[in-house]
Amino acid sequence: MTLDEESTQTTAVRLRAALTRVPAYKAGKPAAPRTDLTAYKISSNENPYPPLPSVLDVVRETATEMNRYPDMAVTDLTGRLAEALDVAPECIATGTGSVGVLGQIIAATCDPGDEVVHAWRSFEAYPIVVALAGAESVLVGLDDQQRHRLDAMHAAITDRTRVVIVCTPNNPTGPGVTHTELARFVERVPEHILVVIDEAYVEFVTMDDAPDAVGLQRAHPNVVVLRTFSKAYGLAGLRVGYAVGSPLVAEALRKTAVPFGVSTIAQRAAIASLDAFDELEVRVKDLVAERERVVAALRDQGWEIPDSQANFVWFPIGEDALPFAAACADAGLSVRPFEGDGVRVTIAETEANDRLVEVAGQFRSRP
Ligand SMILES: *Cc1c(COP(=O)(O)O)cnc(C)c1O
């Protein structure tokens, strides 16, 4: 039965009222197949490089164990992360991608009617995860450079606030907050409110005064840092992310996790990726160099592209978002438009990046 057919079937099942306020997640579209040219999906900030051979080997070997449940405590990966980050293993909690971990955070902190302060526009999963808990997103607009306004976010805190999320670098707009700003902000947030620092793109950050979020966590038990293997590590399809927080917070996140959510394949692939960090870092550096090249070329064309510290660029073009995305689609590029606001484009293969610059140039000089 398709979803449409299902909708004609009446039911007396009572669903939570909160569900009506949960926005649908619009995933980046796959690129429409083309016979005339290579189509590229540059709509989900995925890593364009195929898995490393060493990681694939581990995945293949581990496939023979899929009749078994994974290690629920994620012991080996947790130990490796703790060592790499110089924190105690008790401070780490894993989940099915960092979006999964964010769901664990909200489930652990928010009752219906509680508030979560975050920037907007920011990661579109935030309002979904918050609304699912029956909690309220308090949206704080970005400044004219597409950056978080941390003072305004601080001013938005009320008696109902349980969580504040700082997305740095910010998806989909690109800039990061500085360590100085973030440290000052964390100092001022009341100790009972959890400050989530979402660092999904941390490996791509090259700015001066970049945040040391794990350092801030060590000094402030109400800080929790979110990281993922989906972006720089190229494991988006395996769903593994983690949080670094105080032992109490990390324990709460283990309680609210999907049991056995992180598969053995994902756990071992993540360890193999940590082992292969040097190889992955070369790829990250290439993507960062491509990002700088694309941003410079677009600015030369006259586009006002904000600073990007991640693996994507943001076109803040308002009403032109859908027409520009359509022009990209015509050229075989599936990008991510946010209607009335802008378009986010992932930095990917050189050919995809070149084609983006070409389409963007044509779009600007259209009659
Ligand atoms: C991609 C992304 C994530 C990570 O998603 P996973 O669930 O780990 O795949 C988290 N936060 C932001 C801002 C992202 O863009």
Side-chain angles (χ1 to χ4, degrees), residues 45 96-100 123 126 167 171 198 200-201 228 230-231 236 239-241:
N45 298 342
T96 54
S98 53
V99 172
F123 188 29
Y126 299 157
C167 185
N171 176 8
D198 184 345
Y201 302 95
T228 181
S230 295
K231 307 284 163 53
R239 315 307 302 129
V240 51

Side-chain angles (χ1 to χ4, degrees), residues 134-215:
E136 311 273 343
S137 275
V138 175
L139 308 180
V140 178
L142 300 170
D143 73 9
D144 60 1
Q145 294 175 68
Q146 310 291 338
R147 306 179 77 250
H148 277 53
R149 291 188 302 135
L150 291 176
D151 286 340
M153 290 175 70
H154 180 260
I157 290 173
T158 72
D159 289 348
R160 294 303 308 250
T161 307
R162 295 291 171 270
V163 177
V164 182
I165 308 174
V166 178
C167 185
T168 183
N170 188 47
N171 176 8
T173 63
V177 300
T178 64
H179 184 78
T180 308
E181 292 176 295
L182 188 59
R184 203 175 83 92
F185 176 73
V186 167
E187 289 289 343
R188 293 161 70 208
V189 174
E191 288 173 351
H192 67 279
I193 296 174
L194 193 62
V195 180
V196 177
I197 306 175
D198 184 345
E199 292 200 307
Y201 302 95
V202 66
E203 296 85 356
F204 299 99
V205 172
T206 53
M207 66 194 270
D208 291 336
D209 196 21
D212 170 15
V214 174

Side-chain angles (χ1 to χ4, degrees), residues 85-339:
L85 298 165
D86 193 20
V87 299
E90 294 73 36
C91 297
I92 303 228
T94 56
T96 54
S98 53
V99 172
V101 184
L102 183 66
Q104 291 157 234
I105 290 174
I106 301 300
T109 51
C110 290
D111 284 316
D114 284 343
E115 294 174 355
V116 177
V117 175
H118 61 81
W120 200 251
R121 184 166 288 279
S122 188
F123 188 29
E124 66 173 323
Y126 299 157
I128 298 175
V129 175
V130 171
L132 263 179
E136 311 273 343
S137 275
V138 175
L139 308 180
V140 178
L142 300 170
D143 73 9
D144 60 1
Q145 294 175 68
Q146 310 291 338
R147 306 179 77 250
H148 277 53
R149 291 188 302 135
L150 291 176
D151 286 340
M153 290 175 70
H154 180 260
I157 290 173
T158 72
D159 289 348
R160 294 303 308 250
T161 307
R162 295 291 171 270
V163 177
V164 182
I165 308 174
V166 178
C167 185
T168 183
N170 188 47
N171 176 8
T173 63
V177 300
T178 64
H179 184 78
T180 308
E181 292 176 295
L182 188 59
R184 203 175 83 92
F185 176 73
V186 167
E187 289 289 343
R188 293 161 70 208
V189 174
E191 288 173 351
H192 67 279
I193 296 174
L194 193 62
V195 180
V196 177
I197 306 175
D198 184 345
E199 292 200 307
Y201 302 95
V202 66
E203 296 85 356
F204 299 99
V205 172
T206 53
M207 66 194 270
D208 291 336
D209 196 21
D212 170 15
V214 174
L216 287 175
Q217 196 299 308
R218 282 196 204 94
H220 301 274
N222 64 324
V223 168
V224 61
V225 183
L226 275 185
R227 299 265 180 94
T228 181
F229 284 93
S230 295
K231 307 284 163 53
Y233 287 90
L235 300 183
L238 288 182
R239 315 307 302 129
V240 51
Y242 61 96
V244 186
S246 75
L248 190 84
V249 168
E251 187 190 13
L253 304 190
R254 285 189 284 272
K255 287 184 184 170
T256 51
V258 174
F260 306 109
V262 182
S263 70
T264 307
I265 293 179
Q267 294 183 30
R268 300 238 182 103
I271 293 170
S273 303
L274 292 170
D275 287 339
F277 184 72
D278 291 352
E279 268 175 283
L280 289 168
E281 201 183 19
V282 174
R283 295 172 163 195
V284 167
K285 287 206 166 121
D286 282 349
L287 290 169
V288 166
E290 279 292 278
R291 173 187 82 201
E292 299 305 316
R293 179 177 77 84
V294 168
V295 168
L298 294 172
R299 286 179 180 161
D300 276 352
Q301 293 174 351
W303 295 94
E304 283 183 26
I305 304 292
D307 177 48
S308 173
Q309 295 295 315
N311 65 342
F312 53 82
V313 292
W314 174 247
F315 293 78
I317 52 176
E319 294 307 319
D320 273 342
L322 294 187
F324 181 56
C328 290
D330 282 346
L333 302 177
S334 173
V335 300
R336 181 69 174 84
F338 296 87
E339 192 175 356

